[in-house]
Amino acid sequence: MSQSAVQASGVSDAPDAGRWKALVFIALAQLMVVLDSTIVNIALPSAQQDLGISDGNRQWVVTAYALAFGGLLLFGGRISDKWGRKRTFITGLAGFAAASALGGAATNEAMMFGSRALQGVFGALLAPAALSLLAVMFTDAKERAKAFGIYGAIAGGGAAVGLILGGFLTEYLNWRWTFFVNVPFAVVAAAGAYLVVREPKGGRNRAPLDVPGVILSTLGLVALVYGFTRAESEGWSDAVTVGMFVGSAVLLLAFVLVESKVRTPLLPLRVITERNRGGVYLSLGLAIIAMFGLFLFLTYYLQIVKGYTPVKTGFAFLPMVVGMITGSTQIGTRLMTRVPPRLLMGPGFLVAAVGMLLLTQLEVDTSYAGVLLPGMLLLGLGMGTAFMPAMSLATTGVEPRDAGVASAMVNTSQQVGGAIGTALLNTIAASATTSYIADHIGGASSRSQQQLVQLQGQVQGYTSAIWFAVGILVVAAAVALTFVNAGRPGVGPVAGSGTGDAAEDELPVPVVVH
């Protein structure tokens, strides 16, 4: 990009002197959000008992958050473009902390469900603002690689760290601290962001808010996420489940039509029709489908089949965390400016698939060191290597005024992928378990043999679902290798130019700088 073009766009090409300090607080906020996704699952059984939540309503502790977060992400992304990323980021942190404190102080199920929904609302402001701040603050290719390497490692490994922290807090304090722990994270991140984050000027989108787009996208995404959540508990043929999927399809189709017609769309179609970003969103979503299901099955396997405590289960996931950090900060960061992104994403997903393939060999008495450790290490290594360039490419070449909504699409693909993965793979596992037990229980004469068949049936269910996850990762690799054709990023600015204050949308599709 020429200097004159930069000046004409109103966006300063000079990097912010405090950008690395800002990264610390942005990464801390991201860690808080990712930790929360798993830390609450560990605490759920204790919270359910204390608050008298029925088994039928228990799912709403997770579902209330998922619906608010997934449904409002695009809106949150556009708010950060319009209102300012720093201001949105700090507001999201403050709201998330308040909602977490409310959850920790909950005295009944209504307070708990309400606090989780509020966490989702403020998370939908916070997550895209954090990623878009990175996108507009780190514009040099080599620096961007390092920044997104750190961010990618946290995004991938934070969930596993949440299992460890959640186990400690639940076992040695009580479940309320899995909520209260967010407050110091948020306070430190907000104070630091207020002091050191300097958002580049000229990157705001002053266009009027697309209200029909907000309503259609929110309702469509809520219906989609709820459809998959309900399918897990009520089945795929349930009338409400089917109705949710049909309604979601109609609403999202209407959203696309509206976005193609209105002057100032919530999600400019140029953001998702550019083949590299489209390939990133699709491949990331597929990878998350596979990964979310595996997290769930391995947690069940280690605790129910192997008898691990929550803390021991958390530590058992450490090889995956180590692999993710290594893949993201060492392999991805070092190679990102030397090879095209698809040559990191495709092989990364395939290495993760090999790790997943090892885990299809699980049995009741499988050795941790022999199968689980190498499988999780390879899975983490592959995912870390693939996630880092994917998250960077998703916001590369985007005009500054669209950075928030482009970042929101990354989070949306992950959120929808998580909902699909949990529902789809759980259904496959449950079906395989039921079939195995029905075929083998007749030959079990004693109670101990029947219990063994039950455990074998569970493991059979897990491995059947993991086989599907292997296939999904292979498809993710194929998508990345086929759709992503951006070249090796050179040294220099990589962010799009764009006119931050323009209300017009009829601008050329931004080109990724190779």
Side-chain angles (χ1 to χ4, degrees), residues 297 299-306 362-364 428-430 432-434 436-437 450-466:
F297 298 139
T299 302
Y300 284 153
Y301 175 79
L302 291 169
Q303 291 194 23
I304 296 173
V305 179
K306 304 296 279 186
L362 287 180
E363 295 179 359
V364 173
I428 293 167
T433 295
T434 302
Y436 182 92
I437 292 174
Q450 290 174 352
Q451 289 175 336
L452 179 61
V453 169
Q454 295 278 355
L455 289 177
Q456 289 171 335
Q458 288 187 37
V459 176
Q460 178 67 28
Y462 303 154
T463 55
S464 298
I466 292 171

PDB file of all heavy atoms in Angstrom, residues 297 299-306 362-364 428-430 432-434 436-437 450-466:
ATOM      1  N   PHE A 297     -16.002 -36.048  24.968  1.00  0.00           N
ATOM      2  CA  PHE A 297     -15.829 -37.504  25.108  1.00  0.00           C
ATOM      3  C   PHE A 297     -14.627 -37.860  25.966  1.00  0.00           C
ATOM      4  O   PHE A 297     -14.683 -38.780  26.782  1.00  0.00           O
ATOM      5  CB  PHE A 297     -15.697 -38.162  23.728  1.00  0.00           C
ATOM      6  CG  PHE A 297     -16.906 -37.994  22.863  1.00  0.00           C
ATOM      7  CD1 PHE A 297     -16.780 -37.723  21.517  1.00  0.00           C
ATOM      8  CD2 PHE A 297     -18.178 -38.086  23.398  1.00  0.00           C
ATOM      9  CE1 PHE A 297     -17.890 -37.548  20.722  1.00  0.00           C
ATOM     10  CE2 PHE A 297     -19.304 -37.914  22.606  1.00  0.00           C
ATOM     11  CZ  PHE A 297     -19.160 -37.641  21.266  1.00  0.00           C
ATOM     12  N   THR A 299     -13.338 -36.052  28.348  1.00  0.00           N
ATOM     13  CA  THR A 299     -13.666 -35.727  29.743  1.00  0.00           C
ATOM     14  C   THR A 299     -14.484 -36.855  30.365  1.00  0.00           C
ATOM     15  O   THR A 299     -14.204 -37.314  31.483  1.00  0.00           O
ATOM     16  CB  THR A 299     -14.457 -34.404  29.821  1.00  0.00           C
ATOM     17  OG1 THR A 299     -13.670 -33.369  29.227  1.00  0.00           O
ATOM     18  CG2 THR A 299     -14.754 -34.025  31.268  1.00  0.00           C
ATOM     19  N   TYR A 300     -15.502 -37.328  29.637  1.00  0.00           N
ATOM     20  CA  TYR A 300     -16.319 -38.449  30.125  1.00  0.00           C
ATOM     21  C   TYR A 300     -15.468 -39.713  30.289  1.00  0.00           C
ATOM     22  O   TYR A 300     -15.572 -40.422  31.284  1.00  0.00           O
ATOM     23  CB  TYR A 300     -17.455 -38.743  29.135  1.00  0.00           C
ATOM     24  CG  TYR A 300     -18.597 -37.767  29.173  1.00  0.00           C
ATOM     25  CD1 TYR A 300     -19.385 -37.553  28.041  1.00  0.00           C
ATOM     26  CD2 TYR A 300     -18.905 -37.044  30.317  1.00  0.00           C
ATOM     27  CE1 TYR A 300     -20.442 -36.646  28.045  1.00  0.00           C
ATOM     28  CE2 TYR A 300     -19.960 -36.136  30.334  1.00  0.00           C
ATOM     29  CZ  TYR A 300     -20.717 -35.948  29.205  1.00  0.00           C
ATOM     30  OH  TYR A 300     -21.760 -35.058  29.219  1.00  0.00           O
ATOM     31  N   TYR A 301     -14.639 -39.984  29.284  1.00  0.00           N
ATOM     32  CA  TYR A 301     -13.821 -41.208  29.317  1.00  0.00           C
ATOM     33  C   TYR A 301     -12.893 -41.219  30.531  1.00  0.00           C
ATOM     34  O   TYR A 301     -12.808 -42.205  31.264  1.00  0.00           O
ATOM     35  CB  TYR A 301     -12.998 -41.308  28.028  1.00  0.00           C
ATOM     36  CG  TYR A 301     -12.028 -42.472  28.020  1.00  0.00           C
ATOM     37  CD1 TYR A 301     -12.459 -43.761  27.755  1.00  0.00           C
ATOM     38  CD2 TYR A 301     -10.670 -42.276  28.307  1.00  0.00           C
ATOM     39  CE1 TYR A 301     -11.571 -44.834  27.771  1.00  0.00           C
ATOM     40  CE2 TYR A 301      -9.781 -43.333  28.318  1.00  0.00           C
ATOM     41  CZ  TYR A 301     -10.236 -44.608  28.051  1.00  0.00           C
ATOM     42  OH  TYR A 301      -9.355 -45.666  28.080  1.00  0.00           O
ATOM     43  N   LEU A 302     -12.205 -40.083  30.747  1.00  0.00           N
ATOM     44  CA  LEU A 302     -11.234 -40.031  31.838  1.00  0.00           C
ATOM     45  C   LEU A 302     -11.918 -40.101  33.205  1.00  0.00           C
ATOM     46  O   LEU A 302     -11.417 -40.765  34.121  1.00  0.00           O
ATOM     47  CB  LEU A 302     -10.391 -38.754  31.730  1.00  0.00           C
ATOM     48  CG  LEU A 302      -9.433 -38.704  30.536  1.00  0.00           C
ATOM     49  CD1 LEU A 302      -8.845 -37.306  30.364  1.00  0.00           C
ATOM     50  CD2 LEU A 302      -8.312 -39.731  30.689  1.00  0.00           C
ATOM     51  N   GLN A 303     -13.079 -39.448  33.351  1.00  0.00           N
ATOM     52  CA  GLN A 303     -13.732 -39.407  34.664  1.00  0.00           C
ATOM     53  C   GLN A 303     -14.596 -40.639  34.929  1.00  0.00           C
ATOM     54  O   GLN A 303     -14.575 -41.187  36.034  1.00  0.00           O
ATOM     55  CB  GLN A 303     -14.577 -38.133  34.804  1.00  0.00           C
ATOM     56  CG  GLN A 303     -13.732 -36.878  34.882  1.00  0.00           C
ATOM     57  CD  GLN A 303     -14.521 -35.653  35.346  1.00  0.00           C
ATOM     58  OE1 GLN A 303     -15.543 -35.773  35.982  1.00  0.00           O
ATOM     59  NE2 GLN A 303     -14.025 -34.474  35.022  1.00  0.00           N
ATOM     60  N   ILE A 304     -15.364 -41.079  33.946  1.00  0.00           N
ATOM     61  CA  ILE A 304     -16.300 -42.188  34.165  1.00  0.00           C
ATOM     62  C   ILE A 304     -15.622 -43.541  33.972  1.00  0.00           C
ATOM     63  O   ILE A 304     -15.757 -44.441  34.800  1.00  0.00           O
ATOM     64  CB  ILE A 304     -17.513 -42.056  33.223  1.00  0.00           C
ATOM     65  CG1 ILE A 304     -18.290 -40.772  33.561  1.00  0.00           C
ATOM     66  CG2 ILE A 304     -18.430 -43.271  33.349  1.00  0.00           C
ATOM     67  CD1 ILE A 304     -19.400 -40.456  32.588  1.00  0.00           C
ATOM     68  N   VAL A 305     -14.896 -43.690  32.884  1.00  0.00           N
ATOM     69  CA  VAL A 305     -14.278 -44.992  32.579  1.00  0.00           C
ATOM     70  C   VAL A 305     -12.985 -45.207  33.372  1.00  0.00           C
ATOM     71  O   VAL A 305     -12.774 -46.251  33.987  1.00  0.00           O
ATOM     72  CB  VAL A 305     -14.015 -45.127  31.066  1.00  0.00           C
ATOM     73  CG1 VAL A 305     -13.343 -46.469  30.756  1.00  0.00           C
ATOM     74  CG2 VAL A 305     -15.320 -44.990  30.282  1.00  0.00           C
ATOM     75  N   LYS A 306     -12.119 -44.173  33.385  1.00  0.00           N
ATOM     76  CA  LYS A 306     -10.829 -44.319  34.073  1.00  0.00           C
ATOM     77  C   LYS A 306     -10.874 -43.900  35.539  1.00  0.00           C
ATOM     78  O   LYS A 306      -9.941 -44.174  36.297  1.00  0.00           O
ATOM     79  CB  LYS A 306      -9.758 -43.489  33.344  1.00  0.00           C
ATOM     80  CG  LYS A 306      -9.607 -43.820  31.869  1.00  0.00           C
ATOM     81  CD  LYS A 306      -9.121 -45.238  31.626  1.00  0.00           C
ATOM     82  CE  LYS A 306      -7.617 -45.344  31.798  1.00  0.00           C
ATOM     83  NZ  LYS A 306      -7.137 -46.692  31.411  1.00  0.00           N
ATOM     84  N   LEU A 362      -9.164 -46.226  21.567  1.00  0.00           N
ATOM     85  CA  LEU A 362      -9.477 -46.275  22.999  1.00  0.00           C
ATOM     86  C   LEU A 362     -10.253 -47.537  23.378  1.00  0.00           C
ATOM     87  O   LEU A 362     -11.171 -47.946  22.665  1.00  0.00           O
ATOM     88  CB  LEU A 362     -10.315 -45.055  23.405  1.00  0.00           C
ATOM     89  CG  LEU A 362      -9.619 -43.687  23.477  1.00  0.00           C
ATOM     90  CD1 LEU A 362     -10.626 -42.620  23.890  1.00  0.00           C
ATOM     91  CD2 LEU A 362      -8.454 -43.720  24.444  1.00  0.00           C
ATOM     92  N   GLU A 363      -9.873 -48.120  24.507  1.00  0.00           N
ATOM     93  CA  GLU A 363     -10.600 -49.230  25.115  1.00  0.00           C
ATOM     94  C   GLU A 363     -10.708 -48.945  26.601  1.00  0.00           C
ATOM     95  O   GLU A 363     -10.137 -47.967  27.098  1.00  0.00           O
ATOM     96  CB  GLU A 363      -9.883 -50.555  24.846  1.00  0.00           C
ATOM     97  CG  GLU A 363      -9.859 -50.938  23.360  1.00  0.00           C
ATOM     98  CD  GLU A 363      -9.114 -52.243  23.106  1.00  0.00           C
ATOM     99  OE1 GLU A 363      -8.607 -52.842  24.095  1.00  0.00           O
ATOM    100  OE2 GLU A 363      -9.022 -52.648  21.941  1.00  0.00           O
ATOM    101  N   VAL A 364     -11.419 -49.790  27.322  1.00  0.00           N
ATOM    102  CA  VAL A 364     -11.623 -49.555  28.755  1.00  0.00           C
ATOM    103  C   VAL A 364     -10.292 -49.474  29.496  1.00  0.00           C
ATOM    104  O   VAL A 364     -10.111 -48.650  30.398  1.00  0.00           O
ATOM    105  CB  VAL A 364     -12.521 -50.660  29.361  1.00  0.00           C
ATOM    106  CG1 VAL A 364     -12.592 -50.529  30.884  1.00  0.00           C
ATOM    107  CG2 VAL A 364     -13.925 -50.582  28.772  1.00  0.00           C
ATOM    108  N   ILE A 428     -24.323 -39.513  17.644  1.00  0.00           N
ATOM    109  CA  ILE A 428     -23.631 -40.685  17.075  1.00  0.00           C
ATOM    110  C   ILE A 428     -23.133 -41.595  18.185  1.00  0.00           C
ATOM    111  O   ILE A 428     -23.298 -42.827  18.134  1.00  0.00           O
ATOM    112  CB  ILE A 428     -22.456 -40.225  16.181  1.00  0.00           C
ATOM    113  CG1 ILE A 428     -22.995 -39.493  14.941  1.00  0.00           C
ATOM    114  CG2 ILE A 428     -21.583 -41.406  15.776  1.00  0.00           C
ATOM    115  CD1 ILE A 428     -21.935 -38.742  14.169  1.00  0.00           C
ATOM    116  N   ALA A 429     -22.529 -41.004  19.226  1.00  0.00           N
ATOM    117  CA  ALA A 429     -21.994 -41.783  20.339  1.00  0.00           C
ATOM    118  C   ALA A 429     -23.112 -42.528  21.088  1.00  0.00           C
ATOM    119  O   ALA A 429     -22.976 -43.711  21.406  1.00  0.00           O
ATOM    120  CB  ALA A 429     -21.236 -40.873  21.300  1.00  0.00           C
ATOM    121  N   ALA A 430     -24.203 -41.834  21.359  1.00  0.00           N
ATOM    122  CA  ALA A 430     -25.305 -42.457  22.104  1.00  0.00           C
ATOM    123  C   ALA A 430     -25.896 -43.625  21.334  1.00  0.00           C
ATOM    124  O   ALA A 430     -26.214 -44.678  21.903  1.00  0.00           O
ATOM    125  CB  ALA A 430     -26.386 -41.410  22.387  1.00  0.00           C
ATOM    126  N   ALA A 432     -24.378 -45.529  19.030  1.00  0.00           N
ATOM    127  CA  ALA A 432     -23.418 -46.643  19.014  1.00  0.00           C
ATOM    128  C   ALA A 432     -23.371 -47.353  20.358  1.00  0.00           C
ATOM    129  O   ALA A 432     -23.265 -48.590  20.428  1.00  0.00           O
ATOM    130  CB  ALA A 432     -22.034 -46.123  18.637  1.00  0.00           C
ATOM    131  N   THR A 433     -23.455 -46.580  21.455  1.00  0.00           N
ATOM    132  CA  THR A 433     -23.449 -47.163  22.800  1.00  0.00           C
ATOM    133  C   THR A 433     -24.671 -48.048  23.011  1.00  0.00           C
ATOM    134  O   THR A 433     -24.562 -49.188  23.490  1.00  0.00           O
ATOM    135  CB  THR A 433     -23.423 -46.055  23.869  1.00  0.00           C
ATOM    136  OG1 THR A 433     -22.195 -45.338  23.759  1.00  0.00           O
ATOM    137  CG2 THR A 433     -23.547 -46.626  25.269  1.00  0.00           C
ATOM    138  N   THR A 434     -25.835 -47.540  22.657  1.00  0.00           N
ATOM    139  CA  THR A 434     -27.082 -48.304  22.808  1.00  0.00           C
ATOM    140  C   THR A 434     -27.030 -49.597  22.009  1.00  0.00           C
ATOM    141  O   THR A 434     -27.422 -50.672  22.500  1.00  0.00           O
ATOM    142  CB  THR A 434     -28.282 -47.453  22.338  1.00  0.00           C
ATOM    143  OG1 THR A 434     -28.329 -46.253  23.098  1.00  0.00           O
ATOM    144  CG2 THR A 434     -29.590 -48.219  22.522  1.00  0.00           C
ATOM    145  N   TYR A 436     -24.335 -51.283  20.972  1.00  0.00           N
ATOM    146  CA  TYR A 436     -23.338 -52.207  21.526  1.00  0.00           C
ATOM    147  C   TYR A 436     -23.892 -52.934  22.758  1.00  0.00           C
ATOM    148  O   TYR A 436     -23.756 -54.157  22.881  1.00  0.00           O
ATOM    149  CB  TYR A 436     -22.066 -51.449  21.902  1.00  0.00           C
ATOM    150  CG  TYR A 436     -20.959 -52.340  22.434  1.00  0.00           C
ATOM    151  CD1 TYR A 436     -20.003 -52.877  21.574  1.00  0.00           C
ATOM    152  CD2 TYR A 436     -20.881 -52.666  23.786  1.00  0.00           C
ATOM    153  CE1 TYR A 436     -18.996 -53.711  22.049  1.00  0.00           C
ATOM    154  CE2 TYR A 436     -19.879 -53.496  24.278  1.00  0.00           C
ATOM    155  CZ  TYR A 436     -18.944 -54.011  23.404  1.00  0.00           C
ATOM    156  OH  TYR A 436     -17.947 -54.852  23.885  1.00  0.00           O
ATOM    157  N   ILE A 437     -24.508 -52.164  23.669  1.00  0.00           N
ATOM    158  CA  ILE A 437     -25.023 -52.766  24.906  1.00  0.00           C
ATOM    159  C   ILE A 437     -26.129 -53.772  24.587  1.00  0.00           C
ATOM    160  O   ILE A 437     -26.183 -54.867  25.166  1.00  0.00           O
ATOM    161  CB  ILE A 437     -25.518 -51.675  25.867  1.00  0.00           C
ATOM    162  CG1 ILE A 437     -24.325 -50.854  26.375  1.00  0.00           C
ATOM    163  CG2 ILE A 437     -26.281 -52.279  27.044  1.00  0.00           C
ATOM    164  CD1 ILE A 437     -24.704 -49.654  27.220  1.00  0.00           C
ATOM    165  N   GLN A 450     -21.924 -57.145  33.605  1.00  0.00           N
ATOM    166  CA  GLN A 450     -22.863 -56.172  33.041  1.00  0.00           C
ATOM    167  C   GLN A 450     -22.303 -54.748  33.113  1.00  0.00           C
ATOM    168  O   GLN A 450     -22.438 -53.967  32.174  1.00  0.00           O
ATOM    169  CB  GLN A 450     -24.198 -56.250  33.784  1.00  0.00           C
ATOM    170  CG  GLN A 450     -24.973 -57.527  33.498  1.00  0.00           C
ATOM    171  CD  GLN A 450     -26.225 -57.649  34.355  1.00  0.00           C
ATOM    172  OE1 GLN A 450     -26.439 -56.855  35.272  1.00  0.00           O
ATOM    173  NE2 GLN A 450     -27.048 -58.658  34.073  1.00  0.00           N
ATOM    174  N   GLN A 451     -21.648 -54.447  34.247  1.00  0.00           N
ATOM    175  CA  GLN A 451     -21.030 -53.123  34.384  1.00  0.00           C
ATOM    176  C   GLN A 451     -19.912 -52.935  33.363  1.00  0.00           C
ATOM    177  O   GLN A 451     -19.740 -51.848  32.806  1.00  0.00           O
ATOM    178  CB  GLN A 451     -20.494 -52.936  35.804  1.00  0.00           C
ATOM    179  CG  GLN A 451     -21.590 -52.775  36.852  1.00  0.00           C
ATOM    180  CD  GLN A 451     -21.037 -52.707  38.264  1.00  0.00           C
ATOM    181  OE1 GLN A 451     -19.931 -53.207  38.534  1.00  0.00           O
ATOM    182  NE2 GLN A 451     -21.785 -52.103  39.177  1.00  0.00           N
ATOM    183  N   LEU A 452     -19.158 -54.036  33.122  1.00  0.00           N
ATOM    184  CA  LEU A 452     -18.081 -53.968  32.136  1.00  0.00           C
ATOM    185  C   LEU A 452     -18.644 -53.719  30.737  1.00  0.00           C
ATOM    186  O   LEU A 452     -18.101 -52.906  29.973  1.00  0.00           O
ATOM    187  CB  LEU A 452     -17.274 -55.268  32.151  1.00  0.00           C
ATOM    188  CG  LEU A 452     -16.115 -55.362  31.131  1.00  0.00           C
ATOM    189  CD1 LEU A 452     -15.095 -54.260  31.390  1.00  0.00           C
ATOM    190  CD2 LEU A 452     -15.451 -56.745  31.190  1.00  0.00           C
ATOM    191  N   VAL A 453     -19.752 -54.393  30.405  1.00  0.00           N
ATOM    192  CA  VAL A 453     -20.390 -54.188  29.100  1.00  0.00           C
ATOM    193  C   VAL A 453     -20.865 -52.744  28.960  1.00  0.00           C
ATOM    194  O   VAL A 453     -20.743 -52.130  27.894  1.00  0.00           O
ATOM    195  CB  VAL A 453     -21.567 -55.178  28.901  1.00  0.00           C
ATOM    196  CG1 VAL A 453     -22.401 -54.785  27.669  1.00  0.00           C
ATOM    197  CG2 VAL A 453     -21.051 -56.593  28.735  1.00  0.00           C
ATOM    198  N   GLN A 454     -21.401 -52.190  30.068  1.00  0.00           N
ATOM    199  CA  GLN A 454     -21.846 -50.793  30.041  1.00  0.00           C
ATOM    200  C   GLN A 454     -20.674 -49.852  29.717  1.00  0.00           C
ATOM    201  O   GLN A 454     -20.798 -48.939  28.884  1.00  0.00           O
ATOM    202  CB  GLN A 454     -22.444 -50.408  31.410  1.00  0.00           C
ATOM    203  CG  GLN A 454     -23.707 -51.152  31.788  1.00  0.00           C
ATOM    204  CD  GLN A 454     -24.956 -50.561  31.172  1.00  0.00           C
ATOM    205  OE1 GLN A 454     -24.908 -49.523  30.525  1.00  0.00           O
ATOM    206  NE2 GLN A 454     -26.088 -51.231  31.349  1.00  0.00           N
ATOM    207  N   LEU A 455     -19.527 -50.085  30.396  1.00  0.00           N
ATOM    208  CA  LEU A 455     -18.351 -49.254  30.140  1.00  0.00           C
ATOM    209  C   LEU A 455     -17.833 -49.451  28.716  1.00  0.00           C
ATOM    210  O   LEU A 455     -17.461 -48.486  28.033  1.00  0.00           O
ATOM    211  CB  LEU A 455     -17.240 -49.576  31.145  1.00  0.00           C
ATOM    212  CG  LEU A 455     -17.466 -49.126  32.594  1.00  0.00           C
ATOM    213  CD1 LEU A 455     -16.318 -49.581  33.477  1.00  0.00           C
ATOM    214  CD2 LEU A 455     -17.607 -47.600  32.675  1.00  0.00           C
ATOM    215  N   GLN A 456     -17.802 -50.713  28.266  1.00  0.00           N
ATOM    216  CA  GLN A 456     -17.342 -50.990  26.903  1.00  0.00           C
ATOM    217  C   GLN A 456     -18.261 -50.319  25.879  1.00  0.00           C
ATOM    218  O   GLN A 456     -17.801 -49.817  24.852  1.00  0.00           O
ATOM    219  CB  GLN A 456     -17.294 -52.502  26.666  1.00  0.00           C
ATOM    220  CG  GLN A 456     -16.169 -53.193  27.415  1.00  0.00           C
ATOM    221  CD  GLN A 456     -16.263 -54.711  27.337  1.00  0.00           C
ATOM    222  OE1 GLN A 456     -17.355 -55.275  27.144  1.00  0.00           O
ATOM    223  NE2 GLN A 456     -15.133 -55.394  27.508  1.00  0.00           N
ATOM    224  N   GLY A 457     -19.557 -50.306  26.198  1.00  0.00           N
ATOM    225  CA  GLY A 457     -20.518 -49.654  25.307  1.00  0.00           C
ATOM    226  C   GLY A 457     -20.267 -48.157  25.216  1.00  0.00           C
ATOM    227  O   GLY A 457     -20.345 -47.564  24.135  1.00  0.00           O
ATOM    228  N   GLN A 458     -19.962 -47.536  26.357  1.00  0.00           N
ATOM    229  CA  GLN A 458     -19.660 -46.106  26.347  1.00  0.00           C
ATOM    230  C   GLN A 458     -18.429 -45.815  25.502  1.00  0.00           C
ATOM    231  O   GLN A 458     -18.419 -44.883  24.695  1.00  0.00           O
ATOM    232  CB  GLN A 458     -19.450 -45.600  27.772  1.00  0.00           C
ATOM    233  CG  GLN A 458     -20.731 -45.514  28.584  1.00  0.00           C
ATOM    234  CD  GLN A 458     -20.501 -44.850  29.934  1.00  0.00           C
ATOM    235  OE1 GLN A 458     -19.723 -43.913  30.051  1.00  0.00           O
ATOM    236  NE2 GLN A 458     -21.184 -45.336  30.956  1.00  0.00           N
ATOM    237  N   VAL A 459     -17.382 -46.611  25.699  1.00  0.00           N
ATOM    238  CA  VAL A 459     -16.139 -46.409  24.940  1.00  0.00           C
ATOM    239  C   VAL A 459     -16.391 -46.641  23.449  1.00  0.00           C
ATOM    240  O   VAL A 459     -15.867 -45.906  22.596  1.00  0.00           O
ATOM    241  CB  VAL A 459     -15.022 -47.327  25.467  1.00  0.00           C
ATOM    242  CG1 VAL A 459     -13.768 -47.189  24.611  1.00  0.00           C
ATOM    243  CG2 VAL A 459     -14.696 -46.997  26.919  1.00  0.00           C
ATOM    244  N   GLN A 460     -17.210 -47.646  23.130  1.00  0.00           N
ATOM    245  CA  GLN A 460     -17.562 -47.895  21.721  1.00  0.00           C
ATOM    246  C   GLN A 460     -18.254 -46.680  21.118  1.00  0.00           C
ATOM    247  O   GLN A 460     -18.004 -46.291  19.973  1.00  0.00           O
ATOM    248  CB  GLN A 460     -18.488 -49.121  21.632  1.00  0.00           C
ATOM    249  CG  GLN A 460     -18.969 -49.457  20.222  1.00  0.00           C
ATOM    250  CD  GLN A 460     -17.843 -49.927  19.321  1.00  0.00           C
ATOM    251  OE1 GLN A 460     -16.857 -50.493  19.796  1.00  0.00           O
ATOM    252  NE2 GLN A 460     -17.965 -49.692  18.032  1.00  0.00           N
ATOM    253  N   GLY A 461     -19.122 -46.048  21.920  1.00  0.00           N
ATOM    254  CA  GLY A 461     -19.799 -44.831  21.459  1.00  0.00           C
ATOM    255  C   GLY A 461     -18.816 -43.703  21.202  1.00  0.00           C
ATOM    256  O   GLY A 461     -18.897 -43.013  20.176  1.00  0.00           O
ATOM    257  N   TYR A 462     -17.875 -43.515  22.140  1.00  0.00           N
ATOM    258  CA  TYR A 462     -16.879 -42.451  21.980  1.00  0.00           C
ATOM    259  C   TYR A 462     -16.050 -42.661  20.718  1.00  0.00           C
ATOM    260  O   TYR A 462     -15.846 -41.724  19.939  1.00  0.00           O
ATOM    261  CB  TYR A 462     -15.935 -42.390  23.188  1.00  0.00           C
ATOM    262  CG  TYR A 462     -16.604 -42.198  24.524  1.00  0.00           C
ATOM    263  CD1 TYR A 462     -15.998 -42.641  25.703  1.00  0.00           C
ATOM    264  CD2 TYR A 462     -17.848 -41.565  24.637  1.00  0.00           C
ATOM    265  CE1 TYR A 462     -16.601 -42.467  26.939  1.00  0.00           C
ATOM    266  CE2 TYR A 462     -18.454 -41.389  25.872  1.00  0.00           C
ATOM    267  CZ  TYR A 462     -17.826 -41.846  27.020  1.00  0.00           C
ATOM    268  OH  TYR A 462     -18.432 -41.687  28.241  1.00  0.00           O
ATOM    269  N   THR A 463     -15.564 -43.876  20.518  1.00  0.00           N
ATOM    270  CA  THR A 463     -14.680 -44.134  19.371  1.00  0.00           C
ATOM    271  C   THR A 463     -15.436 -44.031  18.048  1.00  0.00           C
ATOM    272  O   THR A 463     -14.880 -43.567  17.051  1.00  0.00           O
ATOM    273  CB  THR A 463     -14.000 -45.511  19.485  1.00  0.00           C
ATOM    274  OG1 THR A 463     -14.992 -46.534  19.646  1.00  0.00           O
ATOM    275  CG2 THR A 463     -13.053 -45.555  20.674  1.00  0.00           C
ATOM    276  N   SER A 464     -16.705 -44.440  18.039  1.00  0.00           N
ATOM    277  CA  SER A 464     -17.511 -44.292  16.810  1.00  0.00           C
ATOM    278  C   SER A 464     -17.635 -42.823  16.429  1.00  0.00           C
ATOM    279  O   SER A 464     -17.498 -42.446  15.261  1.00  0.00           O
ATOM    280  CB  SER A 464     -18.910 -44.891  17.009  1.00  0.00           C
ATOM    281  OG  SER A 464     -18.832 -46.273  17.274  1.00  0.00           O
ATOM    282  N   ALA A 465     -17.896 -41.978  17.420  1.00  0.00           N
ATOM    283  CA  ALA A 465     -18.023 -40.538  17.163  1.00  0.00           C
ATOM    284  C   ALA A 465     -16.679 -39.937  16.762  1.00  0.00           C
ATOM    285  O   ALA A 465     -16.621 -39.045  15.901  1.00  0.00           O
ATOM    286  CB  ALA A 465     -18.576 -39.835  18.395  1.00  0.00           C
ATOM    287  N   ILE A 466     -15.598 -40.410  17.372  1.00  0.00           N
ATOM    288  CA  ILE A 466     -14.273 -39.882  17.044  1.00  0.00           C
ATOM    289  C   ILE A 466     -13.908 -40.209  15.589  1.00  0.00           C
ATOM    290  O   ILE A 466     -13.250 -39.413  14.911  1.00  0.00           O
ATOM    291  CB  ILE A 466     -13.209 -40.402  18.039  1.00  0.00           C
ATOM    292  CG1 ILE A 466     -13.461 -39.809  19.435  1.00  0.00           C
ATOM    293  CG2 ILE A 466     -11.802 -40.033  17.581  1.00  0.00           C
ATOM    294  CD1 ILE A 466     -12.606 -40.415  20.539  1.00  0.00           C
TER     295      ILE A 466
END
